[in-house]
Amino acid sequence: MTADAALSTPPLASGPEGPEALRPLLATVLDALAAGTAERGGPLPAGGPDAVTARVAAALGDPLPDTGDPDALHAIVRALAAGAADPADPLCAAHLHCPPLAVATAADLAASALNPSLDSWDQAPAASALEAAVTRALARTAGLADALVTTGGTESNQLALLLAREAHGGDLRLVCCAGAHHSLPRAAWLLGLPAPVVLPAPRGLLDPAALAEALTTLPGPLLVAATAGTTDAGLIDPLPEIAALCAAHGARLHIDAAYGGGLLFSDRHRHRLTGLDAAHTVTLDLHKLGWQPAAAGLLAVARPDELATLHQHADYLNATDDTEAGLPDLLARSPRTTRRPDILKIAVTLRTLGRDGLGALVDQVCARAHELAGLIAAHPGFELYDRPVISTVLFRPAEATDDTVAAVRRKLLHEGRAVLGRARLDGRLWLKATVLNPRSRPDDLARLLELVEGSTPR
């Protein structure tokens, strides 16, 4: 390549010149984020889908122009920020959508700049060593032996069913309750397993009595899926009783702790996960109660030898003579081939905050959720579903119809004033506030209720 050609090539993010090439671009991104956030002026953009689409189209212009625009980075990032639902805004509380820690986001930038791919050791020497150490440490925290990095709860749950099928055969049947995550029955369908047995879920929980009957009457092999932190209400199934029933009947146990797994960091709340260590597999998501940029999922396993079922051979990635010479074989660590080093941001966060720091964040959001529930319970204009188990609070305007509850939520979304979720339990529709912002204050919670009250027809 000639010197002139090298000068005309856009700068790269890695290599000796990478940091200096990134420096002014980072300033541009930060300025655009600030401008977009100020333009939005709230938890999400006002006007609904049509207005947001129009503003994005105006900023984007021709997505693939003949001639490039040097201002595109600022313009498009600003449009994205202006049109975002901001999980760092206390009034954005609909989903298990956390505001990521700055230190984790900074580490994620390094992962993008270096761009290692964890499908072979020669593409990711340090990242593969980091992943092996950190995943095992997190698995041991949950009482298991090893863990795989995943894109989140859906992939983790599907992997759990895959490992169970390979260990017990294609006639394995999933047993779960109506409150289980939708990805579990979907995974059974994707994997060609028999139709799941879905047990009733009084008050949103897996009923041990119904499970005992199912385990007694159903032919094996069976995989029981319990939940530690349901999506709708943040409920935790009675894990010790479920684990004991599975052990007594020889059933395999998977626990979906995508939401509740973060309680492991808290001395105050860890006891809620008693029984987790009895599972064969456990789903964890640190882009929920771990404050990581997505994606940061894991599947912890009790029997690492079962991971051999994922092994594949591709001579260009894990040639036999290379592995015999000591190069690690990474293809059994995921059903994916190309994988970015999502473990980097997790490792940096764990080392920076430690268990105590993460536990303090968990304690803060749980405390704020209890404060919100207290405000609702004391307010004559609202009905509280129940005290929160983790950090999800369900409530509704007193004497409102389900149609009114749904309309109030959509009105707040359209006006860009608040982001609340919805959940249907016990045959009724509830507004859902999931408190994942550790900087939420009591007056923020009071403001949220004021907005709901002011949007409810009288």
Side-chain angles (χ1 to χ4, degrees):
M1 180 182 292
T2 66
D4 288 344
L7 288 174
S8 66
T9 301
L12 303 178
S14 56
E17 294 81 26
E20 290 309 311
L22 280 171
R23 202 175 303 278
L25 297 175
L26 292 181
T28 298
V29 167
L30 296 176
D31 288 344
L33 288 173
T37 299
E39 181 181 333
R40 185 181 66 245
L44 80 164
D50 290 342
V52 172
T53 300
R55 289 195 289 268
V56 169
L60 180 62
D62 183 353
L64 185 60
D66 291 334
T67 302
D69 178 1
D71 295 325
L73 177 63
H74 187 280
I76 296 174
V77 171
R78 177 173 178 165
L80 185 70
D86 184 2
D89 190 301
L91 300 180
C92 185
H95 302 287
L96 292 166
H97 180 196
C98 70
L101 292 165
V103 70
T105 305
D108 214 30
L109 169 64
S112 293
L114 294 168
N115 207 28
S117 178
L118 283 119
D119 50 337
S120 66
W121 182 87
D122 58 353
Q123 298 177 78
S128 61
L130 188 69
E131 184 178 87
V134 176
T135 51
R136 285 169 192 151
L138 286 168
R140 288 193 294 269
T141 299
L144 280 77
D146 198 359
L148 304 179
V149 175
T150 71
T151 54
T154 295
E155 184 186 352
S156 294
N157 286 341
Q158 184 174 339
L159 266 176
L161 266 68
L162 173 62
L163 295 179
R165 185 192 71 180
E166 295 306 294
H168 300 282
D171 57 347
L172 176 80
R173 174 161 287 185
L174 172 67
V175 180
C176 60
C177 79
H181 195 263
H182 65 84
S183 62
L184 286 160
R186 188 182 193 191
W189 167 69
L190 285 169
L191 293 169
L193 296 174
V197 176
V198 180
L199 303 177
R203 301 293 290 173
L205 294 169
L206 179 58
D207 180 13
L211 178 60
E213 182 179 354
L215 294 179
T216 301
T217 58
L218 290 171
L222 300 173
L223 169 64
V224 175
T227 307
T230 60
T231 304
D232 277 347
L235 306 177
I236 298 176
D237 286 335
L239 303 181
E241 293 92 334
I242 293 169
L245 285 169
C246 289
H249 291 273
R252 188 179 175 101
L253 175 60
H254 171 65
I255 298 178
D256 179 357
Y259 177 13
L263 300 179
L264 288 167
F265 301 121
S266 167
D267 291 339
R268 185 177 304 170
H269 296 287
R270 189 181 305 133
H271 70 278
R272 299 183 184 278
L273 298 181
T274 299
L276 198 71
D277 58 352
H280 294 78
T281 49
V282 173
T283 288
L284 303 168
D285 259 13
L286 295 183
H287 54 246
K288 296 180 172 66
L289 273 184
W291 295 277
Q292 299 298 293
L298 298 112
L299 177 71
V301 298
R303 301 172 180 171
D305 59 294
E306 291 185 347
L307 300 180
T309 193
L310 299 176
H311 183 266
Q312 293 288 311
H313 178 78
D315 195 68
Y316 75 105
L317 295 174
N318 59 349
T320 302
D321 56 318
D322 278 349
T323 56
E324 289 175 349
L327 297 185
D329 179 355
L330 305 184
L331 286 188
R333 303 295 299 178
S334 175
R336 292 174 286 143
T337 303
T338 301
R339 289 194 296 121
R340 73 189 305 271
D342 287 316
I343 201 65
L344 174 61
K345 60 198 172 194
I346 298 172
V348 169
T349 300
L350 297 178
R351 284 283 291 171
T352 302
L353 274 69
R355 187 194 298 272
D356 289 346
L358 279 168
L361 295 179
V362 171
D363 293 346
Q364 283 174 254
V365 296
C366 291
R368 290 292 176 269
H370 278 273
E371 290 171 6
L372 175 59
L375 291 174
I376 294 167
H379 195 301
F382 291 111
E383 180 182 351
L384 176 68
Y385 177 76
D386 204 350
R387 293 284 174 176
V389 175
I390 306 177
S391 66
T392 298
V393 182
L394 301 184
F395 67 103
R396 52 184 283 144
E399 301 179 5
T401 65
D402 284 357
D403 287 344
T404 297
V405 172
V408 166
R409 174 180 174 272
R410 286 193 294 270
K411 183 174 189 292
L412 292 171
L413 288 175
H414 186 82
E415 294 171 353
R417 301 169 76 192
V419 189
L420 286 167
R422 53 185 284 163
R424 187 170 295 279
L425 276 86
D426 298 341
R428 304 171 74 197
L429 188 64
W430 301 83
L431 296 173
K432 177 174 70 171
T434 305
V435 183
L436 287 180
N437 186 346
R439 293 198 169 188
S440 295
R441 304 182 307 271
D443 57 325
D444 296 320
L445 306 178
R447 175 63 178 154
L448 186 62
L449 296 185
E450 289 172 4
L451 288 171
V452 174
E453 186 176 27
S455 300
T456 303
R458 296 180 180 274

